[in-house]
Amino acid sequence: MTKSTTHASDFKGLPPELFGFLEGLEADNSKAYFDANRKIYDNSVKAPVDALKDELERDFGPLKVFRMNRDIRFSKDKSPYKTWVGFTTTDRAVGGIGSFWQATAEGMKVATGAMMLESDQLSRYRDALVNDGPGGEFDQIRADLAADAMEVGPGDMPQYKRVPVGCPKDHPRSAELLWKGAIVIQSYDRARWMHTDVVADRVRAVWSSAQPLLDWFERHVGDSAKPARKR
């Protein structure tokens, strides 16, 4: 739940230069581009993102900013940088239960839920879904959020093609048993209001409204026992 606070904020919005920097990085994902535009990154990307993070931490607690550098050790894509910026409430890159915010050259995304659950989490998630008690709670949360124009779904994550072994194939929540997580994602195309402090209000609204989904995952799934992976 958010806390009611009154304070002066350093966050004034996401400057146009932030989106321009990310657009340029998409076209030229190189150290040469990054170094040539370091001042723009420091002043118009890192600074406002940090200010937004600080603003939201007043209500939601510690947030972790994603690093710009990609981990390319085991990736065929050797692009050195992410082409987006963002932060999250969770330490986990995989199996994380929490909320995140992301800005790209095209706009921004605000999300809450569980992403790419680890195997031990998936087992508890499925057990909860097939149980009438927590499964019914999940259905009610989805209905409540849908009434607020927020859809709970698998997001951009891949899904299983068959209902897992041991789960009834004709179960009322068989579709959800194919998911590797469940999340609310609100996407916004790039617009002028993003250059104002309205951004913080939009993030608060989504994270607060979707809190019941987080609470459900905390109660019935919880963290993974596996080590957290690097972002």
Side-chain angles (χ1 to χ4, degrees), residues 39-116:
K39 280 190 177 181
I40 295 175
Y41 170 75
D42 288 340
N43 298 328
S44 299
V45 181
K46 186 178 186 301
V49 169
D50 285 345
L52 176 60
K53 177 185 78 75
D54 292 345
E55 169 72 10
L56 294 169
E57 282 183 333
R58 299 173 188 268
D59 298 318
F60 299 98
L63 300 171
K64 293 87 179 175
V65 176
F66 290 98
R67 297 175 300 174
M68 287 299 294
N69 294 84
R70 297 179 61 248
D71 185 353
I72 60 175
R73 292 173 300 170
F74 308 107
S75 174
K76 292 182 179 179
D77 180 3
K78 298 303 181 182
S79 302
Y81 304 108
K82 298 180 178 71
T83 55
W84 51 270
V85 292
F87 46 72
T88 176
T89 61
T90 176
D91 285 323
R92 287 183 171 274
V94 178
I97 298 171
S99 301
F100 72 86
W101 168 84
Q102 178 190 80
T104 68
E106 291 74 36
M108 70 179 212
K109 291 183 178 180
V110 186
T112 290
M115 294 286 289
M116 293 294 291

Side-chain angles (χ1 to χ4, degrees), residues 17-216:
E17 291 82 3
L18 178 148
F19 298 98
F21 175 88
L22 295 176
E23 193 170 28
L25 193 57
E26 286 183 356
D28 182 8
N29 196 317
S30 68
K31 187 175 185 299
Y33 171 86
F34 203 99
D35 288 346
N37 293 275
R38 171 66 69 172
K39 280 190 177 181
I40 295 175
Y41 170 75
D42 288 340
N43 298 328
S44 299
V45 181
K46 186 178 186 301
V49 169
D50 285 345
L52 176 60
K53 177 185 78 75
D54 292 345
E55 169 72 10
L56 294 169
E57 282 183 333
R58 299 173 188 268
D59 298 318
F60 299 98
L63 300 171
K64 293 87 179 175
V65 176
F66 290 98
R67 297 175 300 174
M68 287 299 294
N69 294 84
R70 297 179 61 248
D71 185 353
I72 60 175
R73 292 173 300 170
F74 308 107
S75 174
K76 292 182 179 179
D77 180 3
K78 298 303 181 182
S79 302
Y81 304 108
K82 298 180 178 71
T83 55
W84 51 270
V85 292
F87 46 72
T88 176
T89 61
T90 176
D91 285 323
R92 287 183 171 274
V94 178
I97 298 171
S99 301
F100 72 86
W101 168 84
Q102 178 190 80
T104 68
E106 291 74 36
M108 70 179 212
K109 291 183 178 180
V110 186
T112 290
M115 294 286 289
M116 293 294 291
L117 295 173
E118 295 280 11
S119 57
D120 56 336
Q121 293 174 302
L122 271 173
S123 179
R124 295 191 293 272
Y125 166 70
R126 292 164 181 163
D127 287 345
L129 285 182
V130 298
N131 184 296
D132 288 342
E137 292 175 18
F138 186 81
D139 290 343
Q140 187 60 57
I141 290 168
R142 290 189 69 188
D144 291 343
L145 288 171
D148 201 19
M150 294 186 182
E151 180 182 353
V152 177
D156 299 329
M157 299 174 287
Q159 302 178 50
Y160 291 100
K161 296 182 179 180
R162 297 182 180 84
V163 173
V165 176
C167 297
K169 293 182 179 180
D170 59 349
H171 194 278
R173 285 177 286 279
S174 59
E176 290 81 355
L177 290 169
L178 302 178
W179 298 355
K180 294 186 178 182
I183 194 165
V184 169
I185 300 178
Q186 296 292 88
S187 298
Y188 305 92
D189 292 333
R190 187 171 166 181
R192 289 185 179 180
W193 62 262
M194 293 182 185
H195 308 323
T196 74
D197 59 4
V198 169
V199 170
D201 295 332
R202 294 289 177 93
V203 179
R204 282 193 192 93
V206 176
W207 286 4
S208 297
S209 296
Q211 184 64 42
L213 180 63
L214 274 190
D215 293 341
W216 186 90

